[in-house]
Amino acid sequence: MSILLIEAFYGGSHKQLMDLLQEELQDDCVLCTLPAKKWHWKARTAALYFMQTVPTSTNYRILFASSVLNLAELAALRPDLGKLKKVLYFHENQLAYPVQKCQGRDFQYGYNQILSCLVADVVVFNSAFNMESFLTSIGKFMKLIPDHRPKDLEKIIRPKCQVLYFPVRFPDLSRFMPQHKLARLEKVTGLKRNGDAYQLGGLPGQQESGALGGLMKNSNAHHESGLCEAQPGLCTTQHEGLPSPLTAPARLNKSEASESTNPCQEEDKQHLTFNLSNILSGRDYQQRPLHVAWPHRWEHDKDPKTFFKVLLKLKEKNLPFHVSVLGEAFTEIPDIFSEAKKALGSSVLHWGYLPSKDDYFQALCMADVVISTAKHEFFGVAMVEAVYCGCYPLCPKALVYPEIFPAEYLYSTPEQLFKRLQNFCKRPDIGETAGFSWAALGGKFRSLLAAEPREDL
């Protein structure tokens, strides 16, 4: 047990990362957590809790924690842990995190993260946007202090920083794919049938990523002096039009004409009710409405008001669509969710969190479009997973999204989002998610967690 994993908010992507590391590291790590409730209190008090509960051991060499934990407090309260190589992972940062109203306590959360960076040996961000938005905000943030302000903190912290994208464990989703899409996937990616299963061959990250290619930008960035130099996007293919209702049945009989370039996605078509068994067998393909997915937390920073406003505008114009709202809800749920559910009526296909990962991926596989309206996003695991499931992404032209998605998948205003959905008659491209798989990133995480303890404290 040379690696100590600490997660003060063990839920969502925080839990997903820790579970993956624990699975991969196996007996070489110990995991200490607090439940994903009352985030603000976890950020304030977790260090004191872990001081008392983290078992002592002479075997520890690495401490890996998310930035929810006040690492400075823990290192002071537990000098034995302060001597370890301390790796701090930022899923999000509080300097660029939107708040509904400015309160005195808001300063403390960002201040805690700055202190944690100062005591950490390595500071890791899940995207270049996350890193730069944090580092470049330190100076302005510290000006909130009335007097005797510390100086040059960015210069002290930046050399410790690097970008290491969030690693996603991509399962085999072929059992959820309609037959006409499997045929297209076999043609485009080299997916081969082996009895009733499918195998992927000769592609990077094949067991984790599903070998999808073309949509997302390459995540193999170069990290020098804590800076991530993003590579240009790889998507250059033009979108192909969806078959019309009259021509679709004939075209679906030909594998080369099955233009669904998504391995798991159902097509945008009109009419009829949703039938899972028919969809998985390829029937109802040409008759279903557009299926929109929104797989985000039910909180204000994901801007559900804008999302539902756009959908209700579609409904006012009698445009056929279905919607699946799949995100996780916490203690306080914005009123817009209950209001929107009632207003959307029969357009709602699924409403609520799916704790089963299989059920969640299956729901995404049946969607056509995945939408983000976020006012805050530092990586976007849900969007990456949805693209892997064959959804066509529509994201704000802001935050981390230009770092991950080429320009054709970005919109600047809610009006542009509405027009994209209104005119969504183009077939989605296949999404490239291999660069975000554990197969691609696992080696970097192992290197990060393989170092000797510090003896200079």
Side-chain angles (χ1 to χ4, degrees):
M1 298 188 302
S2 66
I3 301 170
L4 174 61
L5 305 175
I6 297 181
E7 180 51 68
F9 194 77
Y10 188 57
S13 60
H14 293 236
K15 180 180 185 298
Q16 192 171 334
L17 177 59
M18 288 299 185
D19 288 350
L20 178 55
L21 291 176
Q22 188 178 38
E23 179 183 344
E24 291 294 330
L25 298 170
Q26 297 184 357
D27 295 337
D28 197 33
C29 71
V30 59
L31 175 63
C32 299
T33 68
L34 279 168
K37 297 179 180 179
K38 304 291 184 182
W39 178 90
H40 299 94
W41 283 103
K42 298 301 190 297
R44 289 188 184 109
T45 65
L48 187 57
Y49 172 82
F50 288 124
M51 178 202 76
Q52 296 182 328
T53 57
V54 171
T56 57
S57 173
T58 58
N59 295 324
Y60 296 148
R61 295 292 181 269
I62 311 291
L63 190 163
F64 182 94
S66 79
S67 60
V68 175
L69 175 70
N70 188 325
L71 188 58
E73 288 183 349
L74 183 62
L77 292 168
R78 285 285 299 268
D80 59 320
L81 303 182
K83 294 181 180 181
L84 306 178
K85 175 187 174 183
K86 297 173 292 298
V87 180
L88 188 68
Y89 192 88
F90 275 75
H91 293 267
E92 58 277 314
N93 79 75
Q94 292 303 308
L95 303 194
Y97 196 98
V99 292
Q100 290 179 293
K101 54 184 178 180
C102 185
Q103 299 173 330
R105 68 182 185 187
D106 291 335
F107 177 83
Q108 193 63 41
Y109 303 132
Y111 183 68
N112 288 352
Q113 289 188 329
I114 292 172
L115 292 181
S116 294
C117 288
L118 291 170
V119 302
D121 299 295
V122 182
V123 182
V124 183
F125 294 84
N126 60 2
S127 69
F129 167 74
N130 193 2
M131 181 177 73
E132 290 301 325
S133 65
F134 177 79
L135 293 173
T136 57
S137 297
I138 292 175
K140 180 180 178 181
F141 181 80
M142 298 307 288
K143 289 182 179 179
L144 294 172
I145 300 174
D147 53 26
H148 296 87
R149 303 179 186 115
K151 299 178 180 179
D152 300 325
L153 295 183
E154 179 185 348
K155 293 180 180 179
I156 297 171
I157 295 172
R158 183 176 284 275
K160 304 179 181 184
C161 297
Q162 62 177 267
V163 172
L164 188 51
Y165 288 108
F166 187 96
V168 182
R169 173 78 78 187
F170 293 123
D172 174 14
L173 300 179
S174 61
R175 63 193 184 280
F176 300 146
M177 298 181 196
Q179 291 300 315
H180 63 278
K181 297 185 178 177
L182 287 172
R184 171 64 177 172
L185 187 63
E186 180 172 351
K187 174 184 176 183
V188 173
T189 68
L191 190 71
K192 300 299 182 183
R193 181 181 288 274
N194 181 14
D196 293 329
Y198 283 82
Q199 292 182 339
L200 299 166
L203 292 161
Q206 57 185 20
Q207 294 180 358
E208 325 294 345
S209 71
L212 305 174
L215 187 151
M216 300 179 71
K217 290 188 177 182
N218 189 1
S219 69
N220 294 325
H222 302 287
H223 309 286
E224 297 184 66
S225 302
L227 295 175
C228 172
E229 182 182 349
Q231 293 184 357
L234 300 179
C235 180
T236 57
T237 55
Q238 298 296 316
H239 307 152
E240 300 178 38
L242 285 171
S244 69
L246 296 176
T247 60
R251 293 181 65 182
L252 288 176
N253 290 329
K254 301 179 182 180
S255 62
E256 66 273 13
S258 180
E259 298 292 342
S260 169
T261 56
N262 293 320
C264 319
Q265 175 233 320
E266 304 307 322
E267 305 303 327
D268 343 337
K269 286 286 106 190
Q270 299 103 338
H271 310 127
L272 294 189
T273 57
F274 181 82
N275 184 296
L276 175 60
S277 60
N278 285 349
I279 283 171
L280 293 181
S281 66
R283 295 171 301 198
D284 285 356
Y285 156 71
Q286 70 276 15
Q287 299 174 316
R288 290 189 309 105
L290 177 71
H291 183 179
V292 178
W294 196 81
H296 310 287
R297 284 184 287 104
W298 292 20
E299 293 184 323
H300 78 279
D301 61 289
K302 301 302 181 184
D303 198 7
K305 287 186 178 180
T306 293
F307 173 70
F308 290 125
K309 183 178 180 180
V310 169
L311 290 192
L312 290 174
K313 190 174 179 181
L314 292 175
K315 194 171 183 67
E316 289 174 3
K317 292 186 175 293
N318 294 316
L319 295 169
F321 68 91
H322 284 146
V323 60
S324 291
V325 179
L326 304 172
E328 186 173 4
F330 294 95
T331 305
E332 298 181 7
I333 301 176
D335 294 338
I336 187 63
F337 284 92
S338 58
E339 297 167 3
K341 184 179 181 182
K342 182 178 180 180
L344 289 169
S346 60
S347 296
V348 174
L349 197 62
H350 182 87
W351 195 270
Y353 177 64
L354 293 172
S356 165
K357 206 67 175 177
D358 272 0
D359 292 343
Y360 173 71
F361 279 126
Q362 186 171 5
L364 289 178
C365 282
M366 293 183 290
D368 302 307
V369 182
V370 62
I371 292 176
S372 171
T373 47
K375 293 185 288 188
H376 138 258
E377 194 61 80
F378 295 113
F379 180 72
V381 176
M383 293 298 290
V384 172
E385 289 176 334
V387 168
Y388 173 73
C389 291
C391 295
Y392 184 101
L394 290 174
C395 317
K397 192 176 181 180
L399 309 171
V400 72
Y401 296 119
E403 183 179 340
I404 296 178
F405 296 100
E408 60 256 48
Y409 305 103
L410 308 177
Y411 64 88
S412 298
T413 65
E415 289 73 25
Q416 287 184 3
L417 174 60
F418 169 75
K419 290 178 180 179
R420 293 292 298 273
L421 290 175
Q422 184 181 37
N423 300 317
F424 200 85
C425 59
K426 305 230 176 182
R427 219 177 267 282
D429 295 314
I430 292 178
E432 169 53 49
T433 53
F436 301 102
S437 70
W438 176 257
L441 296 170
K444 295 179 181 179
F445 272 91
R446 290 184 185 280
S447 296
L448 185 69
L449 299 175
E452 292 304 312
R454 292 180 56 187
E455 302 292 349
D456 57 342
L457 295 179

